[in-house]
Amino acid sequence: MVVVGAGFSGLAAALALKRAGAGVRVLEARDRVGGRVLTRWLPDGTQLDLGAQWIGPTQDRVRALVTRYGLATFPSAAHGTPTVLWDGRRYAEPPAPTGAVLALLDAYAQGVDPAAPWAAARAEAWDRRTVADWLARAAPDPVTARYLGRQLAGGLLAAAPAEISMLQLLFYLRSGGGSAMLLAMAGGAQQDRLVGGPGVLADALAAALGPDTVRCGAPVHAIVQDRTGVTVRTDDEVVTAGAVVVAVAPALAGRIRYDPPLPALRDGLNQRMPMGSAVKVHAVYPEPFWRADGRSGVATCADGPVTETVDNGTPGSARGVLTAFSYGAEATALRRLSPPARREALLDALVAIVGPAAGRPDEVVEYDWSADPWTRGCFCGALTVGAWRAYGPELRRPVGRVHWAGTETATRWAGYLDGAIEAGERAAAEVLDTTDQLSLK
Ligand SMILES: Cc1cc2nc3c(=O)[nH]c(=O)nc-3n(C[C@H](O)[C@H](O)[C@H](O)COP(=O)(O)OP(=O)(O)OC[C@H]3O[C@@H](n4cnc5c(N)ncnc54)[C@H](O)[C@@H]3O)c2cc1C
């Protein structure tokens, strides 16, 4: 079997295939495994997770692997009071109406089966309505609508509220266990980090596959299939197998050439699931000065280029790290600025949150996932308005010997590391169900 992509999904698929006795080759474009995870260390040991960083409760698959490989986690920093910047005012928590709107969304999400969002009773109406449009009517005032749009379409999907359908949002809420689970630090998706970063888990998975299973620096350009098997082509290698698991986001799967060409509906899906647009920037300070003022460094903002920040310090390191996130239109606007202007805009936003000392970092560290040819945006892909009903059923449907993995195809914790693992294991099970594919190896 061949697996395209050595992110968490491809590695999980390969491990499941290997454990079932199949021969496996994993072809990975980059010179490393792990995909959308990347960690840099400052000389003093401060850990900067530039890609994915958190795991939380109910993410049972990723947690099981953390336990199996004996890896350690640490809780996200939690000192002091959070900040909510709201129409020029400062609060410790969002004003009450946000809770009522979130409760309504969570109730709606209960009506969406994450394995078949297109079949929901109200799917047609929800798929053509944008989150921005819904919030403009459901929220009691424009600030609440703006704040929630930034938290939900932005914080969860790294998109603008006008780009995301209600059905996409409700699917995502259901898949991750509801708004409180998705948005919270302690008790939610942002609860814990891995010592050494999530890349150590990817390395452990790759090591468990044994030597010579994963080939890095091997971008797959073409997948040819006929009645006897598949042929997968990289720059300098042709691999034949009984089946292939494509464990990359649809936006990248659509850049591979298929022969015969993909059916119109599958190709249509690849065209309608763009990656999100997030800017994640770490500002590093001599110490976490905001803690002395009783502030947690955790902030959410109704306006401005930064939607949220967290205190991203590493236990055992004296340095303070404030990590700022910007999404959708705000992220795009930042990307258009020159590097100095962008840095200034980001630091001005941090000054508004924790005070003037935020304007004097030791360094500012960022990785632009949108510019990375093997990711092209983050956190994940999301179907465009109207596309869930028209193309959603193609998301996991195999095309002959081509099977689809990647976090975008998950039903639980879609968009997250945990969902990537679910998707890889599900795709492997599909392949194993097709016995002639297994016998061909
Ligand atoms: C900034 C950021 C923050 C995030 N925060 C979190 C978080 O805190 N918690 C969380 O759970 N998730 C988070 N995520 C999402 C998480 O990283 C993804 O859900 C997960 O890593 C996706 O895994 P995957 O295997 O599906 O895809 P990927 O990780 O994208 O893996 C796909 C692999 O395929 C390779 N590839 C692509 N095209 C080809 C080709 N043609 N040939 C060969 N190889 C190819 C890529 O190089 C990549 O290694 C974050 C992501 C980002 C970028």
Side-chain angles (χ1 to χ4, degrees):
M1 304 301 152
V2 176
V3 175
V4 181
F8 277 73
S9 205
L11 293 169
L15 266 175
L17 289 167
K18 196 147 194 173
R19 291 217 169 95
V24 189
R25 283 297 295 284
V26 183
L27 299 172
E28 166 55 49
R30 290 183 169 104
D31 60 2
R32 61 172 183 82
V33 300
R36 285 170 246 178
V37 307
L38 186 62
T39 296
R40 296 261 185 271
W41 286 269
L42 300 181
D44 65 356
T46 304
Q47 174 181 326
L48 301 178
D49 294 326
L50 307 181
Q53 66 173 62
W54 286 296
I55 63 172
T58 79
Q59 297 183 352
D60 302 330
R61 287 182 170 82
V62 69
R63 285 190 170 271
L65 293 177
V66 166
T67 305
R68 181 186 302 165
Y69 295 108
L71 305 176
T73 61
F74 59 93
S76 298
H79 311 263
T81 311
T83 302
V84 176
L85 289 187
W86 182 281
D87 206 20
R89 300 213 173 98
R90 182 182 288 275
Y91 299 94
E93 55 186 46
T98 57
V101 179
L102 289 173
L104 187 55
L105 285 168
D106 284 329
Y108 285 166
Q110 287 305 311
V112 175
D113 174 358
W118 53 86
R122 298 175 68 182
E124 209 252 315
W126 282 334
D127 206 18
R128 66 178 142 78
R129 192 141 192 210
T130 68
V131 171
D133 180 45
W134 184 83
L135 281 171
R137 288 155 208 250
D141 59 82
V143 189
T144 306
R146 208 160 61 235
Y147 176 84
L148 284 174
R150 285 160 64 101
Q151 291 299 302
L152 296 168
L156 300 183
L157 290 154
E163 291 175 310
I164 296 293
S165 73
M166 279 292 283
L167 191 56
Q168 170 68 49
L169 175 63
L170 296 174
F171 155 75
Y172 211 75
L173 290 173
R174 184 72 200 276
S175 168
S179 64
M181 180 64 82
L182 281 154
L183 295 172
M185 304 282 299
Q190 286 67 235
Q191 179 170 284
D192 297 310
R193 296 173 63 194
L194 269 93
V195 174
V200 294
L201 179 54
D203 290 341
L205 296 174
L209 282 168
D212 304 326
T213 303
V214 181
R215 184 165 168 225
C216 288
V220 168
H221 301 302
I223 297 176
V224 179
Q225 60 171 322
D226 61 22
R227 290 179 55 203
T228 60
V230 288
T231 304
V232 180
R233 293 175 195 278
T234 69
D235 287 341
D236 54 11
E237 198 180 5
V238 176
V239 186
T240 56
V244 58
V245 173
V246 177
V248 309
L252 289 158
R255 297 174 189 212
I256 297 172
R257 187 172 65 78
Y258 300 84
D259 182 10
L262 291 178
L265 286 175
R266 174 66 213 200
D267 192 66
L269 177 129
N270 288 345
Q271 294 181 50
R272 286 167 179 79
M273 203 171 203
M275 303 301 283
S277 174
V279 167
K280 177 181 183 183
V281 180
H282 303 275
V284 184
Y285 301 93
E287 76 264 322
F289 60 86
W290 52 90
R291 293 184 193 169
D293 299 336
R295 297 213 169 116
S296 70
V298 173
T300 49
C301 312
D303 296 290
V306 168
T307 291
E308 50 196 342
T309 64
V310 293
D311 178 334
N312 233 350
T314 315
S317 158
R319 311 288 284 278
V321 180
L322 262 191
T323 300
F325 295 86
S326 177
Y327 307 116
E330 287 80 24
T332 315
L334 282 174
R335 234 174 241 119
R336 286 218 169 83
L337 298 176
S338 66
R342 175 170 161 156
R343 179 186 158 108
E344 194 181 330
L346 284 162
L347 293 180
D348 283 351
L350 296 184
V351 166
I353 293 167
V354 288
R360 300 182 295 275
D362 291 342
E363 51 192 307
V364 175
V365 182
E366 183 191 357
Y367 184 82
D368 188 357
W369 292 94
S370 293
D372 184 319
W374 302 114
T375 297
R376 282 291 165 204
C378 65
F379 311 116
C380 61
L383 278 165
T384 53
V385 178
W388 261 113
R389 283 188 75 241
Y391 297 93
E394 311 312 312
L395 196 53
R396 286 176 293 276
R397 196 197 304 281
V399 176
R401 294 171 183 276
V402 182
H403 298 260
W404 309 104
T407 193
E408 286 77 11
T409 70
T411 57
R412 194 156 185 263
W413 285 109
Y416 290 75
L417 298 169
D418 198 73
I421 296 163
E422 178 211 282
E425 292 175 347
R426 186 261 314 143
E430 266 169 32
V431 172
L432 293 166
D433 274 352
T434 319
T435 42
D436 79 306
Q437 294 182 356
L438 179 57
S439 63
L440 273 167
K441 303 245 161 162

